[in-house]
PDB file of all heavy atoms in Angstrom:
ATOM      1  N   GLY A   1     -26.161  -7.556 -11.821  1.00 97.00           N
ATOM      2  CA  GLY A   1     -27.539  -7.720 -11.402  1.00 97.00           C
ATOM      3  C   GLY A   1     -28.440  -6.526 -11.597  1.00 97.00           C
ATOM      4  O   GLY A   1     -29.654  -6.638 -11.397  1.00 97.00           O
ATOM      5  N   GLY A   2     -27.881  -5.391 -11.963  1.00 97.00           N
ATOM      6  CA  GLY A   2     -28.715  -4.223 -12.194  1.00 97.00           C
ATOM      7  C   GLY A   2     -29.549  -4.368 -13.451  1.00 97.00           C
ATOM      8  O   GLY A   2     -29.350  -5.269 -14.265  1.00 97.00           O
ATOM      9  N   GLY A   3     -30.501  -3.469 -13.593  1.00 97.00           N
ATOM     10  CA  GLY A   3     -31.351  -3.503 -14.763  1.00 97.00           C
ATOM     11  C   GLY A   3     -32.595  -2.677 -14.586  1.00 97.00           C
ATOM     12  O   GLY A   3     -32.708  -1.872 -13.656  1.00 97.00           O
ATOM     13  N   LEU A   4     -33.533  -2.888 -15.484  1.00 98.00           N
ATOM     14  CA  LEU A   4     -34.805  -2.176 -15.498  1.00 98.00           C
ATOM     15  C   LEU A   4     -35.893  -3.089 -14.956  1.00 98.00           C
ATOM     16  O   LEU A   4     -36.064  -4.219 -15.434  1.00 98.00           O
ATOM     17  CB  LEU A   4     -35.142  -1.736 -16.922  1.00 98.00           C
ATOM     18  CG  LEU A   4     -36.512  -1.107 -17.151  1.00 98.00           C
ATOM     19  CD1 LEU A   4     -36.630   0.210 -16.396  1.00 98.00           C
ATOM     20  CD2 LEU A   4     -36.754  -0.913 -18.637  1.00 98.00           C
ATOM     21  N   VAL A   5     -36.620  -2.608 -13.955  1.00 98.00           N
ATOM     22  CA  VAL A   5     -37.730  -3.360 -13.375  1.00 98.00           C
ATOM     23  C   VAL A   5     -38.918  -2.435 -13.183  1.00 98.00           C
ATOM     24  O   VAL A   5     -38.774  -1.214 -13.083  1.00 98.00           O
ATOM     25  CB  VAL A   5     -37.363  -4.022 -12.032  1.00 98.00           C
ATOM     26  CG1 VAL A   5     -36.270  -5.068 -12.218  1.00 98.00           C
ATOM     27  CG2 VAL A   5     -36.929  -2.971 -11.024  1.00 98.00           C
ATOM     28  N   GLN A   6     -40.093  -3.038 -13.116  1.00 98.00           N
ATOM     29  CA  GLN A   6     -41.303  -2.276 -12.846  1.00 98.00           C
ATOM     30  C   GLN A   6     -41.473  -2.056 -11.347  1.00 98.00           C
ATOM     31  O   GLN A   6     -40.931  -2.810 -10.534  1.00 98.00           O
ATOM     32  CB  GLN A   6     -42.523  -3.000 -13.402  1.00 98.00           C
ATOM     33  CG  GLN A   6     -42.572  -3.045 -14.919  1.00 98.00           C
ATOM     34  CD  GLN A   6     -43.847  -3.666 -15.425  1.00 98.00           C
ATOM     35  OE1 GLN A   6     -44.300  -4.680 -14.903  1.00 98.00           O
ATOM     36  NE2 GLN A   6     -44.440  -3.049 -16.437  1.00 98.00           N
ATOM     37  N   PRO A   7     -42.189  -1.015 -10.959  1.00 98.00           N
ATOM     38  CA  PRO A   7     -42.472  -0.832  -9.533  1.00 98.00           C
ATOM     39  C   PRO A   7     -43.092  -2.086  -8.927  1.00 98.00           C
ATOM     40  O   PRO A   7     -43.949  -2.730  -9.532  1.00 98.00           O
ATOM     41  CB  PRO A   7     -43.451   0.344  -9.513  1.00 98.00           C
ATOM     42  CG  PRO A   7     -43.118   1.114 -10.753  1.00 98.00           C
ATOM     43  CD  PRO A   7     -42.740   0.078 -11.781  1.00 98.00           C
ATOM     44  N   GLY A   8     -42.641  -2.422  -7.724  1.00 98.00           N
ATOM     45  CA  GLY A   8     -43.076  -3.634  -7.063  1.00 98.00           C
ATOM     46  C   GLY A   8     -42.245  -4.854  -7.385  1.00 98.00           C
ATOM     47  O   GLY A   8     -42.421  -5.900  -6.743  1.00 98.00           O
ATOM     48  N   GLY A   9     -41.356  -4.742  -8.343  1.00 98.00           N
ATOM     49  CA  GLY A   9     -40.524  -5.854  -8.733  1.00 98.00           C
ATOM     50  C   GLY A   9     -39.331  -6.045  -7.819  1.00 98.00           C
ATOM     51  O   GLY A   9     -39.149  -5.332  -6.834  1.00 98.00           O
ATOM     52  N   SER A  10     -38.501  -7.024  -8.178  1.00 98.00           N
ATOM     53  CA  SER A  10     -37.351  -7.396  -7.368  1.00 98.00           C
ATOM     54  C   SER A  10     -36.103  -7.523  -8.221  1.00 98.00           C
ATOM     55  O   SER A  10     -36.171  -7.837  -9.413  1.00 98.00           O
ATOM     56  CB  SER A  10     -37.596  -8.732  -6.657  1.00 98.00           C
ATOM     57  OG  SER A  10     -38.700  -8.666  -5.776  1.00 98.00           O
ATOM     58  N   LEU A  11     -34.978  -7.276  -7.606  1.00 98.00           N
ATOM     59  CA  LEU A  11     -33.667  -7.493  -8.198  1.00 98.00           C
ATOM     60  C   LEU A  11     -32.718  -7.973  -7.123  1.00 98.00           C
ATOM     61  O   LEU A  11     -32.893  -7.651  -5.946  1.00 98.00           O
ATOM     62  CB  LEU A  11     -33.094  -6.216  -8.817  1.00 98.00           C
ATOM     63  CG  LEU A  11     -33.605  -5.736 -10.171  1.00 98.00           C
ATOM     64  CD1 LEU A  11     -32.975  -4.390 -10.498  1.00 98.00           C
ATOM     65  CD2 LEU A  11     -33.288  -6.743 -11.261  1.00 98.00           C
ATOM     66  N   ARG A  12     -31.699  -8.714  -7.525  1.00 98.00           N
ATOM     67  CA  ARG A  12     -30.612  -9.044  -6.632  1.00 98.00           C
ATOM     68  C   ARG A  12     -29.297  -8.598  -7.252  1.00 98.00           C
ATOM     69  O   ARG A  12     -28.938  -9.044  -8.347  1.00 98.00           O
ATOM     70  CB  ARG A  12     -30.546 -10.540  -6.312  1.00 98.00           C
ATOM     71  CG  ARG A  12     -29.520 -10.826  -5.202  1.00 98.00           C
ATOM     72  CD  ARG A  12     -29.516 -12.260  -4.738  1.00 98.00           C
ATOM     73  NE  ARG A  12     -28.730 -13.124  -5.605  1.00 98.00           N
ATOM     74  CZ  ARG A  12     -28.220 -14.289  -5.237  1.00 98.00           C
ATOM     75  NH1 ARG A  12     -28.426 -14.738  -3.998  1.00 98.00           N
ATOM     76  NH2 ARG A  12     -27.533 -15.015  -6.097  1.00 98.00           N
ATOM     77  N   LEU A  13     -28.610  -7.737  -6.547  1.00 98.00           N
ATOM     78  CA  LEU A  13     -27.295  -7.283  -6.956  1.00 98.00           C
ATOM     79  C   LEU A  13     -26.225  -8.157  -6.321  1.00 98.00           C
ATOM     80  O   LEU A  13     -26.362  -8.591  -5.172  1.00 98.00           O
ATOM     81  CB  LEU A  13     -27.067  -5.828  -6.549  1.00 98.00           C
ATOM     82  CG  LEU A  13     -28.111  -4.805  -7.006  1.00 98.00           C
ATOM     83  CD1 LEU A  13     -27.690  -3.410  -6.564  1.00 98.00           C
ATOM     84  CD2 LEU A  13     -28.323  -4.863  -8.506  1.00 98.00           C
ATOM     85  N   SER A  14     -25.164  -8.391  -7.063  1.00 98.00           N
ATOM     86  CA  SER A  14     -24.031  -9.148  -6.561  1.00 98.00           C
ATOM     87  C   SER A  14     -22.764  -8.332  -6.739  1.00 98.00           C
ATOM     88  O   SER A  14     -22.635  -7.563  -7.693  1.00 98.00           O
ATOM     89  CB  SER A  14     -23.884 -10.483  -7.296  1.00 98.00           C
ATOM     90  OG  SER A  14     -25.018 -11.296  -7.117  1.00 98.00           O
ATOM     91  N   CYS A  15     -21.833  -8.521  -5.837  1.00 97.00           N
ATOM     92  CA  CYS A  15     -20.539  -7.862  -5.898  1.00 97.00           C
ATOM     93  C   CYS A  15     -19.481  -8.873  -5.497  1.00 97.00           C
ATOM     94  O   CYS A  15     -19.426  -9.286  -4.328  1.00 97.00           O
ATOM     95  CB  CYS A  15     -20.506  -6.639  -4.984  1.00 97.00           C
ATOM     96  SG  CYS A  15     -18.873  -5.882  -4.804  1.00 97.00           S
ATOM     97  N   ALA A  16     -18.656  -9.258  -6.436  1.00 95.00           N
ATOM     98  CA  ALA A  16     -17.570 -10.192  -6.176  1.00 95.00           C
ATOM     99  C   ALA A  16     -16.290  -9.417  -5.934  1.00 95.00           C
ATOM    100  O   ALA A  16     -15.905  -8.573  -6.751  1.00 95.00           O
ATOM    101  CB  ALA A  16     -17.398 -11.159  -7.336  1.00 95.00           C
ATOM    102  N   ALA A  17     -15.644  -9.684  -4.815  1.00 92.00           N
ATOM    103  CA  ALA A  17     -14.396  -9.027  -4.454  1.00 92.00           C
ATOM    104  C   ALA A  17     -13.238  -9.941  -4.806  1.00 92.00           C
ATOM    105  O   ALA A  17     -13.071 -11.007  -4.208  1.00 92.00           O
ATOM    106  CB  ALA A  17     -14.377  -8.677  -2.973  1.00 92.00           C
ATOM    107  N   TYR A  18     -12.450  -9.520  -5.777  1.00 93.00           N
ATOM    108  CA  TYR A  18     -11.263 -10.262  -6.186  1.00 93.00           C
ATOM    109  C   TYR A  18     -10.070  -9.621  -5.501  1.00 93.00           C
ATOM    110  O   TYR A  18      -9.661  -8.517  -5.848  1.00 93.00           O
ATOM    111  CB  TYR A  18     -11.121 -10.257  -7.700  1.00 93.00           C
ATOM    112  CG  TYR A  18     -12.267 -10.928  -8.393  1.00 93.00           C
ATOM    113  CD1 TYR A  18     -13.343 -10.189  -8.868  1.00 93.00           C
ATOM    114  CD2 TYR A  18     -12.287 -12.307  -8.561  1.00 93.00           C
ATOM    115  CE1 TYR A  18     -14.410 -10.812  -9.491  1.00 93.00           C
ATOM    116  CE2 TYR A  18     -13.349 -12.935  -9.185  1.00 93.00           C
ATOM    117  CZ  TYR A  18     -14.404 -12.186  -9.652  1.00 93.00           C
ATOM    118  OH  TYR A  18     -15.461 -12.804 -10.274  1.00 93.00           O
ATOM    119  N   GLN A  19      -9.529 -10.333  -4.531  1.00 85.00           N
ATOM    120  CA  GLN A  19      -8.551  -9.763  -3.610  1.00 85.00           C
ATOM    121  C   GLN A  19      -7.174 -10.338  -3.877  1.00 85.00           C
ATOM    122  O   GLN A  19      -6.989 -11.559  -3.882  1.00 85.00           O
ATOM    123  CB  GLN A  19      -8.981 -10.032  -2.164  1.00 85.00           C
ATOM    124  CG  GLN A  19      -8.178  -9.294  -1.121  1.00 85.00           C
ATOM    125  CD  GLN A  19      -8.779  -9.448   0.265  1.00 85.00           C
ATOM    126  OE1 GLN A  19      -9.654 -10.281   0.495  1.00 85.00           O
ATOM    127  NE2 GLN A  19      -8.303  -8.648   1.199  1.00 85.00           N
ATOM    128  N   THR A  20      -6.220  -9.457  -4.090  1.00 84.00           N
ATOM    129  CA  THR A  20      -4.833  -9.872  -4.298  1.00 84.00           C
ATOM    130  C   THR A  20      -3.932  -9.538  -3.118  1.00 84.00           C
ATOM    131  O   THR A  20      -2.804 -10.023  -3.063  1.00 84.00           O
ATOM    132  CB  THR A  20      -4.261  -9.228  -5.567  1.00 84.00           C
ATOM    133  OG1 THR A  20      -4.334  -7.801  -5.468  1.00 84.00           O
ATOM    134  CG2 THR A  20      -5.042  -9.682  -6.789  1.00 84.00           C
ATOM    135  N   SER A  21      -4.403  -8.720  -2.189  1.00 83.00           N
ATOM    136  CA  SER A  21      -3.671  -8.443  -0.961  1.00 83.00           C
ATOM    137  C   SER A  21      -4.182  -9.351   0.150  1.00 83.00           C
ATOM    138  O   SER A  21      -5.100 -10.156  -0.051  1.00 83.00           O
ATOM    139  CB  SER A  21      -3.794  -6.968  -0.573  1.00 83.00           C
ATOM    140  OG  SER A  21      -5.153  -6.587  -0.452  1.00 83.00           O
ATOM    141  N   PHE A  22      -3.631  -9.197   1.338  1.00 83.00           N
ATOM    142  CA  PHE A  22      -3.877 -10.184   2.378  1.00 83.00           C
ATOM    143  C   PHE A  22      -4.660  -9.661   3.578  1.00 83.00           C
ATOM    144  O   PHE A  22      -4.828 -10.383   4.562  1.00 83.00           O
ATOM    145  CB  PHE A  22      -2.545 -10.755   2.859  1.00 83.00           C
ATOM    146  CG  PHE A  22      -1.764 -11.415   1.771  1.00 83.00           C
ATOM    147  CD1 PHE A  22      -0.697 -10.766   1.182  1.00 83.00           C
ATOM    148  CD2 PHE A  22      -2.108 -12.680   1.325  1.00 83.00           C
ATOM    149  CE1 PHE A  22       0.021 -11.364   0.165  1.00 83.00           C
ATOM    150  CE2 PHE A  22      -1.399 -13.292   0.311  1.00 83.00           C
ATOM    151  CZ  PHE A  22      -0.335 -12.636  -0.276  1.00 83.00           C
ATOM    152  N   PHE A  23      -5.156  -8.450   3.518  1.00 84.00           N
ATOM    153  CA  PHE A  23      -5.903  -7.916   4.642  1.00 84.00           C
ATOM    154  C   PHE A  23      -7.321  -8.463   4.662  1.00 84.00           C
ATOM    155  O   PHE A  23      -7.847  -8.929   3.646  1.00 84.00           O
ATOM    156  CB  PHE A  23      -5.918  -6.382   4.602  1.00 84.00           C
ATOM    157  CG  PHE A  23      -6.775  -5.804   3.521  1.00 84.00           C
ATOM    158  CD1 PHE A  23      -8.088  -5.431   3.785  1.00 84.00           C
ATOM    159  CD2 PHE A  23      -6.290  -5.622   2.244  1.00 84.00           C
ATOM    160  CE1 PHE A  23      -8.886  -4.883   2.795  1.00 84.00           C
ATOM    161  CE2 PHE A  23      -7.072  -5.087   1.241  1.00 84.00           C
ATOM    162  CZ  PHE A  23      -8.372  -4.715   1.519  1.00 84.00           C
ATOM    163  N   SER A  24      -7.943  -8.397   5.818  1.00 86.00           N
ATOM    164  CA  SER A  24      -9.314  -8.850   5.990  1.00 86.00           C
ATOM    165  C   SER A  24     -10.279  -7.730   5.614  1.00 86.00           C
ATOM    166  O   SER A  24     -10.127  -6.597   6.072  1.00 86.00           O
ATOM    167  CB  SER A  24      -9.556  -9.283   7.431  1.00 86.00           C
ATOM    168  OG  SER A  24     -10.911  -9.628   7.648  1.00 86.00           O
ATOM    169  N   ILE A  25     -11.263  -8.049   4.773  1.00 87.00           N
ATOM    170  CA  ILE A  25     -12.308  -7.085   4.446  1.00 87.00           C
ATOM    171  C   ILE A  25     -13.337  -7.138   5.572  1.00 87.00           C
ATOM    172  O   ILE A  25     -14.127  -8.078   5.665  1.00 87.00           O
ATOM    173  CB  ILE A  25     -12.956  -7.390   3.095  1.00 87.00           C
ATOM    174  CG1 ILE A  25     -11.908  -7.308   1.980  1.00 87.00           C
ATOM    175  CG2 ILE A  25     -14.108  -6.422   2.827  1.00 87.00           C
ATOM    176  CD1 ILE A  25     -12.417  -7.737   0.625  1.00 87.00           C
ATOM    177  N   ASN A  26     -13.313  -6.129   6.418  1.00 89.00           N
ATOM    178  CA  ASN A  26     -14.197  -6.120   7.576  1.00 89.00           C
ATOM    179  C   ASN A  26     -15.618  -5.707   7.219  1.00 89.00           C
ATOM    180  O   ASN A  26     -16.587  -6.323   7.663  1.00 89.00           O
ATOM    181  CB  ASN A  26     -13.640  -5.192   8.658  1.00 89.00           C
ATOM    182  CG  ASN A  26     -14.535  -5.112   9.870  1.00 89.00           C
ATOM    183  OD1 ASN A  26     -15.223  -4.113  10.085  1.00 89.00           O
ATOM    184  ND2 ASN A  26     -14.536  -6.164  10.670  1.00 89.00           N
ATOM    185  N   THR A  27     -15.732  -4.663   6.417  1.00 93.00           N
ATOM    186  CA  THR A  27     -17.027  -4.074   6.117  1.00 93.00           C
ATOM    187  C   THR A  27     -17.286  -4.124   4.623  1.00 93.00           C
ATOM    188  O   THR A  27     -16.416  -3.778   3.822  1.00 93.00           O
ATOM    189  CB  THR A  27     -17.091  -2.611   6.594  1.00 93.00           C
ATOM    190  OG1 THR A  27     -16.790  -2.552   7.987  1.00 93.00           O
ATOM    191  CG2 THR A  27     -18.479  -2.024   6.351  1.00 93.00           C
ATOM    192  N   MET A  28     -18.477  -4.533   4.254  1.00 94.00           N
ATOM    193  CA  MET A  28     -18.934  -4.417   2.883  1.00 94.00           C
ATOM    194  C   MET A  28     -20.279  -3.705   2.897  1.00 94.00           C
ATOM    195  O   MET A  28     -21.038  -3.812   3.862  1.00 94.00           O
ATOM    196  CB  MET A  28     -19.055  -5.769   2.198  1.00 94.00           C
ATOM    197  CG  MET A  28     -17.741  -6.537   2.124  1.00 94.00           C
ATOM    198  SD  MET A  28     -17.798  -8.001   1.052  1.00 94.00           S
ATOM    199  CE  MET A  28     -17.676  -7.214  -0.570  1.00 94.00           C
ATOM    200  N   GLY A  29     -20.541  -2.987   1.833  1.00 97.00           N
ATOM    201  CA  GLY A  29     -21.784  -2.238   1.806  1.00 97.00           C
ATOM    202  C   GLY A  29     -22.205  -1.848   0.413  1.00 97.00           C
ATOM    203  O   GLY A  29     -21.447  -1.969  -0.552  1.00 97.00           O
ATOM    204  N   TRP A  30     -23.437  -1.392   0.343  1.00 98.00           N
ATOM    205  CA  TRP A  30     -24.008  -0.846  -0.875  1.00 98.00           C
ATOM    206  C   TRP A  30     -24.358   0.614  -0.645  1.00 98.00           C
ATOM    207  O   TRP A  30     -24.946   0.966   0.388  1.00 98.00           O
ATOM    208  CB  TRP A  30     -25.267  -1.604  -1.300  1.00 98.00           C
ATOM    209  CG  TRP A  30     -25.005  -3.001  -1.760  1.00 98.00           C
ATOM    210  CD1 TRP A  30     -25.109  -4.147  -1.037  1.00 98.00           C
ATOM    211  CD2 TRP A  30     -24.597  -3.396  -3.076  1.00 98.00           C
ATOM    212  NE1 TRP A  30     -24.796  -5.233  -1.807  1.00 98.00           N
ATOM    213  CE2 TRP A  30     -24.474  -4.803  -3.063  1.00 98.00           C
ATOM    214  CE3 TRP A  30     -24.320  -2.706  -4.251  1.00 98.00           C
ATOM    215  CZ2 TRP A  30     -24.088  -5.530  -4.190  1.00 98.00           C
ATOM    216  CZ3 TRP A  30     -23.933  -3.422  -5.367  1.00 98.00           C
ATOM    217  CH2 TRP A  30     -23.822  -4.821  -5.326  1.00 98.00           C
TER     218      TRP A  30
END
């Protein structure tokens, strides 16, 4: 979702977590 935008513009970033272990992801952040 990153890229080049003009001031005042909008973007939406996405982060997909592909999990192979079994613990719970408690916290996510940017």
